[in-house]
């Protein structure tokens, strides 16, 4: 399950407020914050965005908006070396 966090106020001042509430461990108390469980999400650039908005994955640019993210039902098998000692 993907948990999409919606911040309904988009100003810089609001972002600082969200950070403060997060630091206090009380973000979920805000009416302008909502967590929505989903299996896929499409993200669009804000209206009036003057340039392309880039998407990063693990620190690398992997796409530009709009972008669709989907939770896959299959898993990836990893080979991990045994721990020593």
């Amino acid at each position: 399950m993907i948990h999409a966090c919606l911040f309904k106020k988009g100003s810089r001042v609001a972002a600082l407020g969200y950070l403060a509430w997060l630091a206090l461990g009380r973000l979920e108390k805000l009416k302008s914050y909502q967590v929505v469980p989903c299996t896929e999400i499409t993200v669009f650039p804000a209206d009036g965005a003057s340039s392309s908005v880039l998407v990063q994955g693990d620190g690398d640019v992997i796409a530009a908006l709009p972008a669709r993210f989907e939770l896959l039902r299959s898993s990836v098998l990893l080979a991990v070396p045994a721990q020593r000692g």
Side-chain angles (χ1 to χ4, degrees):
M1 184 70 53
I2 298 172
H3 293 94
C5 300
L6 307 179
F7 298 89
K8 298 177 185 178
K9 294 181 180 177
S11 70
R12 289 180 180 161
V13 172
L16 290 173
Y18 288 130
L19 284 173
W21 282 89
L22 177 65
L24 294 170
R26 302 175 68 82
L27 187 60
E28 67 281 349
K29 304 275 186 201
L30 293 176
K31 292 181 181 179
S32 62
Y33 170 76
Q34 182 180 3
V35 177
V36 179
C38 54
T39 56
E40 68 177 62
I41 186 168
T42 303
V43 182
F44 297 93
D47 290 338
S50 59
S51 62
S52 63
V53 178
L54 302 177
V55 177
Q56 289 188 8
D58 198 23
D60 297 319
V61 174
I62 59 172
L65 295 185
R68 182 173 167 259
F69 301 90
E70 179 180 4
L71 186 63
L72 300 177
R73 294 178 187 216
S74 60
S75 60
V76 176
L77 182 61
L78 299 175
V80 179
Q83 293 184 357
R84 297 183 188 184

